[in-house]
Amino acid sequence: MTVARTWAVALSGLRGDLVDVEADLSQQTPEFSIIGLPDKALGEAGRRVRNACANRGLDLPKRRITVNLSPASLPKRGSGFDVAIAVAALATTGSMDAARVAATVHIGELGLDGRLRPVPGVLPSVVAAQRAGHRRVVVPAANAGEAELVDGMEVCAAGCLAEVVRWHGGSCDAGELEPVLPAVPPAHDAPPLELADVVGQTDAVDALVVAAAGGHHMLMSGPPGAGKTMLARRLPGILPDLDDQAALSVASVRSLSGETVVRLSRTPPFESPHHGASAAALIGGGSGIVRPGAIARASEGVLFLDEGGEFPVSVLDALRQPLESGEIHLHRSGVAATYPARFQLVIATNPCPCGQYGVPGGSCECAPQAIRRYTRRLSGPLLDRIDIDLRLQRVSAARRGNENATITTREARAIVAEARERAARRWADTPWSRNADAPGTWLRGPASPSVDVLRPLDTALRRGALTLRGYDRLLRVAWTVADIAGHDAITVDDIGRALYLRRGMSA
């Protein structure tokens, strides 16, 4: 036997494509060459494979070995092809079960001593293998936890290359090596922060519940110490748990980011990048392999931009397309990747650089030009995509005991769950389930309220106080307000509440 075949996975974002790994022997001077559009890291696999085989007592044929990665037009990057290349090359001698090798997907990097080292993106790779019809996969022992999250897959978690060879019916007298241990997974399931700890911001808490119930984007403006960050960090705690599909998507993005994934977390993610973050850190990127940014990591959860007025304009404007489409498309030289971007955006900002402009009792020392420059960083097109625009003031009196206690996290979570159930029943015959996902054509069409109810919005639209996109967003918020109130249809009061939540607008 001179030609052997197995499978690997090439990732482009969360999408994985199966790669046919073929190895062929020819009667020439011993050489190891890889063809099929490999990058530099993959082109160096030949050296890692030779050393790993030699150190595990596995004899590669002393002939020219050509490894082809098909389809050749598909870009292939990274060291995750090492195990597949090594197994295909060793299988050319006929020492392993050819049918078993050809039916197995191999993922992992090889160390020079023959150990299998973990690689990022194992979870989406195994998902791609399953969707392509494969049922057997070999992964490094350190990646076993995330590979086993995919139901219906036979997972071989190997510590070294010799184990893989024996698993395929080959023989190897090499002893066992201590496997590479997985890194400690970060904690994503900390107890939710208590909403009742928020003091004196009843309107802000109510707005936060509306945002959670409908999946709406939110802007909070106010002086330092008003509680903007405190409120934002309590939003994930009142959101519903992730369903299976959302939890798998979140875990896949974390796997691509290099995190250790051992189980599907049901807690919505929370990302809060520093205001000095670059556009690439926010939307994703990198040379060679396109890594997910904060937008993708926040998908199905909350993206919180604290000190929003300090972010560069180019970084903030990069949010505009993902906010509309729910996806982020990245194009680099020779590679394109698509990541999910179904996040709730929460921006907190001060009214001016010193934070005292318009604050009762405050003294602002900023020049008018500095105030205009600061506020203009949040561009009109970005603000038009914000559903709830809330102005906060400093708390004038501290609460004592349980006097005027705010709603608790548990109570708010129950309200949000009930409102989302009402919305899901209303949109049951449509592709969406949240009010924030409903398109304007539907809101102004089959789900349109009566003319009398819409009169305040129509008036604001004629006056130029609203764009048509803002009109649709107000209808979405009004539906959420109606769901919380238990209304079967939008009322004038629901419209009025939605207008108030958009920077206290009035008709």
Side-chain angles (χ1 to χ4, degrees):
M1 181 177 183
T2 61
V3 178
R5 172 179 285 107
T6 191
W7 296 92
V9 180
L11 289 173
S12 298
L14 288 187
R15 192 195 76 209
D17 296 296
L18 270 292
V19 175
D20 191 358
V21 182
E22 302 172 295
D24 176 66
L25 298 179
S26 57
Q27 303 292 338
Q28 296 185 21
T29 305
E31 187 181 347
F32 202 114
S33 61
I34 301 174
I35 59 177
L37 207 60
D39 70 343
K40 184 176 181 181
L42 183 49
E44 295 171 345
R47 299 180 186 177
R48 292 193 293 272
V49 169
R50 281 202 177 278
N51 285 74
C53 290
N55 289 323
R56 289 284 82 203
L58 300 167
D59 294 329
L60 280 175
K62 304 260 188 311
R63 295 157 62 181
R64 180 184 178 92
I65 302 175
T66 302
V67 176
N68 179 45
L69 307 177
S70 178
S73 59
L74 180 70
K76 306 162 192 76
R77 292 174 171 83
S79 56
F81 294 80
D82 286 3
V83 178
I85 291 172
V87 169
L90 290 167
T92 56
T93 63
S95 58
M96 290 184 280
D97 185 337
R100 188 177 179 87
V101 170
T104 304
V105 178
H106 296 83
I107 305 167
E109 176 185 335
L110 282 176
L112 297 183
D113 58 358
R115 288 191 289 185
L116 271 63
R117 299 184 177 277
V119 292
V122 166
L123 179 55
S125 296
V126 176
V127 170
Q130 183 192 52
R131 288 176 179 168
H134 292 271
R135 293 294 177 266
R136 188 181 300 125
V137 62
V138 172
V139 300
N143 292 126
E146 57 186 289
E148 291 169 352
L149 293 175
V150 183
D151 294 332
M153 293 294 290
E154 180 185 353
V155 177
C156 171
C160 72
L161 185 58
E163 291 181 44
V164 181
V165 170
R166 286 193 287 264
W167 194 64
H168 284 308
S171 59
C172 179
D173 298 330
E176 298 295 327
L177 289 176
E178 186 71 23
V180 179
L181 298 177
V184 177
H188 293 293
D189 292 327
L193 299 175
E194 181 51 60
L195 197 58
D197 292 339
V198 178
V199 176
Q201 295 288 6
T202 305
D203 284 348
V205 171
D206 291 344
L208 196 73
V209 172
V210 173
H216 304 294
H217 307 305
M218 188 174 183
L219 169 65
M220 293 183 287
S221 176
K228 303 184 295 295
T229 302
M230 190 177 188
L231 283 162
R233 292 191 177 277
R234 279 151 179 77
L235 178 56
I238 63 176
L239 292 174
D241 289 340
L242 301 178
D243 58 24
D244 291 342
Q245 183 177 358
L248 186 61
S249 175
V250 170
S252 296
V253 172
R254 287 173 176 165
S255 175
L256 280 169
S257 300
E259 291 187 20
T260 300
V261 179
V262 294
R263 63 188 182 86
L264 295 182
S265 173
R266 303 293 175 173
T267 303
F270 181 86
E271 288 288 326
S272 181
H274 187 266
H275 57 76
S278 65
L282 193 67
I283 67 174
S287 59
I289 299 177
V290 181
R291 296 295 186 198
I295 286 177
R297 294 195 302 273
S299 186
E300 308 295 345
V302 178
L303 176 65
F304 176 47
L305 303 185
D306 201 2
E307 304 295 343
E310 300 291 344
F311 280 81
V313 175
S314 59
V315 174
L316 292 172
D317 283 345
L319 295 169
R320 287 155 55 177
Q321 182 266 333
L323 285 173
E324 287 294 312
S325 65
E327 292 182 328
I328 179 70
H329 304 279
L330 303 176
H331 296 270
R332 299 293 184 267
S333 178
V335 63
T338 299
Y339 290 107
R342 285 173 46 86
F343 58 88
Q344 273 187 256
L345 176 64
V346 179
I347 303 177
T349 185
N350 296 328
C352 69
C354 76
Q356 301 301 316
Y357 180 70
V359 177
S363 177
C364 177
E365 301 178 353
C366 302
Q369 299 89 337
I371 296 175
R372 286 195 297 269
R373 185 167 55 249
Y374 188 83
T375 56
R376 284 177 180 173
R377 293 200 177 182
L378 299 174
S379 65
L382 177 60
L383 291 176
D384 204 32
R385 290 165 167 83
I386 300 295
D387 304 321
I388 298 174
D389 189 349
L390 197 65
R391 301 298 176 93
L392 278 70
Q393 296 295 333
R394 283 181 179 155
V395 178
S396 58
R399 188 182 70 215
R400 292 179 175 85
N402 292 324
E403 182 183 354
N404 299 323
T406 315
I407 187 173
T408 66
T409 293
R410 184 169 189 161
E411 293 167 342
R413 188 179 175 88
I415 293 172
V416 169
E418 184 177 352
R420 288 212 177 191
E421 286 177 7
R422 291 181 67 89
R425 288 196 298 269
R426 180 173 55 256
W427 308 121
D429 297 329
T430 67
W432 48 86
S433 60
R434 302 184 309 174
N435 293 326
D437 300 328
T441 52
W442 191 273
L443 294 168
R444 289 177 271 108
S448 177
S450 67
V451 174
D452 291 339
V453 171
L454 287 177
R455 187 169 288 116
L457 293 186
D458 294 333
T459 301
L461 188 65
R462 283 196 303 270
R463 287 190 343 210
L466 272 181
T467 65
L468 189 58
R469 179 189 284 124
Y471 187 101
D472 293 340
R473 290 193 175 279
L474 277 166
L475 278 177
R476 296 184 184 108
V477 175
W479 270 117
T480 302
V481 173
D483 289 335
I484 292 175
H487 300 158
D488 294 328
I490 295 177
T491 66
V492 174
D493 289 341
D494 298 330
I495 293 289
R497 178 63 176 164
L499 283 166
Y500 174 78
L501 290 173
R502 194 175 176 90
R503 199 185 292 184
M505 291 177 58
S506 61

